[in-house]
Amino acid sequence: MNYVFQPPPINALPVAGSDCFFPVRRVYCVGRNYAAHAREMGFDPDREPPFFFCKPGDAQSVVAVPQGQTLAMPYPSLTANFHYEVELVVALGQGGKNIAVEEAAAHIFGYAVGLDMTRRDLQIKMREQGRPWEIGKAFDFGAPVGLLHPKAQVGELGDAHISLQVNGEVRQQSNLSHLIWSINETIANLSTLFELQPGDLIFSGTPEGVGPVKPGDHMLGQIAGLTPIDVAVV
C-alpha cells in the first residue's frame, strides 16, 4: 500500500515481566467516578449512568513512563490552571459490545497507573459554553501511563489504595472500592455505547483532591500492587 506520507508507528505500552508491548487503540475516560471528587467539582454524586469522554491514543498523548524513570512533561499552552488526576488505567485484551457485568473481567488484559492531566480553565470554559471538552483534556502529554501489569499476575484490583503526591506531599488518596461504578460495571456500560476492541484503555476516574501543578513540580502516582508513575512538570 502506498501512502502520501509515512504513517506514524503504533503507540504501545511496555508490559511488566515481558518483552512484549500492548498496542494502544482508543482511550476512554470516565467522568466523576468517585463521589467525593464529584462533590468537589460541584456536582451531585448520585449513581446515575456514567458518562465518558475520550483522549487521543497516539504517542504524543498517551506517553509510556518506563519503570524507574521520570517523565519530563512540558507545561501545556494556553492554560493557567493545569491539574493532575491520578487514575487506574484498565487495558482491554478482548473486545465486544453489550458485555454483561459478570463477563466484563474476562475482557481485561491488565492495569497501570495513569494521569488524566487537564487544562482545567479551558475545560470549565468549554463546559460553561456547552461545548466539547477536547481542548481541556486532549493535548500532548495529557495521558502519561506507567508500566502495564497483566491481570493474570496482579489479580483484580477491587480494593487497592490509590494516591498522588506533589513534591512529596499527598494530594489525592482513596481506595478503588470507592468507585461509584466498578471497573466491570464501567466496561459493561461503555460497551453499550461503543464496540470495544483489544488495545482500548479506560481511565477509570480520579479521587478527590485534584489541583494545579506548575513547572518545577514533581508528581508521584501510586496504586497498591502496580508500578508507580513518576512525572516532573517542566
Side-chain angles (χ1 to χ4, degrees):
M1 183 178 293
N2 294 321
Y3 297 98
V4 296
F5 57 86
Q6 186 65 30
I10 294 173
N11 189 19
L13 301 173
V15 177
S18 170
D19 60 359
C20 293
F21 287 81
F22 180 91
V24 176
R25 194 184 81 104
R26 290 183 181 173
V27 180
Y28 300 101
C29 303
V30 189
R32 299 193 293 267
N33 202 20
Y34 287 81
H37 173 58
R39 292 189 190 97
E40 77 176 352
M41 298 302 291
F43 295 91
D44 186 341
D46 284 348
R47 201 171 185 262
E48 60 186 14
F51 74 92
F52 303 94
F53 59 93
C54 292
K55 284 179 174 260
D58 61 77
Q60 285 182 275
S61 179
V62 179
V63 183
V65 184
Q67 183 174 13
Q69 296 186 28
T70 300
L71 173 68
M73 173 187 288
Y75 194 93
S77 62
L78 301 179
T79 183
N81 199 18
F82 185 39
H83 277 211
Y84 53 79
E85 297 187 13
V86 66
E87 308 201 8
L88 173 69
V89 179
V90 181
L92 299 186
Q94 295 183 41
K97 57 183 178 179
N98 298 318
I99 299 167
V101 173
E102 58 269 20
E103 297 174 357
H107 293 71
I108 299 172
F109 171 78
Y111 307 100
V113 184
L115 295 177
D116 171 16
M117 300 302 296
T118 304
R119 293 191 282 202
R120 188 72 71 198
D121 43 0
L122 301 186
Q123 180 200 22
I124 291 173
K125 182 178 180 180
M126 292 301 100
R127 188 178 72 200
E128 290 173 344
Q129 295 177 347
R131 296 177 179 177
W133 288 4
E134 272 82 356
I135 64 170
K137 289 287 190 177
F139 52 90
D140 292 352
F141 290 86
V145 178
L147 189 65
L148 183 59
H149 291 259
K151 188 183 73 171
Q153 296 178 6
V154 298
E156 295 189 28
L157 303 178
D159 60 353
H161 184 262
I162 179 172
S163 67
L164 182 124
Q165 297 178 28
V166 178
N167 302 327
E169 177 185 345
V170 176
R171 299 286 181 84
Q172 290 185 276
Q173 61 177 332
S174 188
N175 191 287
L176 299 181
S177 63
H178 295 164
L179 286 166
I180 297 173
W181 292 91
S182 71
I183 299 305
N184 292 343
E185 290 172 329
T186 295
I187 293 170
N189 272 283
L190 187 58
S191 74
T192 67
L193 297 168
F194 305 93
E195 182 172 359
L196 303 177
Q197 299 290 343
D200 288 344
L201 299 178
I202 301 173
F203 279 66
S204 59
T206 195
E208 69 274 16
V210 300
V213 284
K214 61 186 184 302
D217 285 343
H218 179 268
M219 297 176 285
L220 180 67
Q222 300 180 86
I223 297 175
L226 304 179
T227 299
I229 186 172
D230 200 323
V231 177
V233 183
V234 298

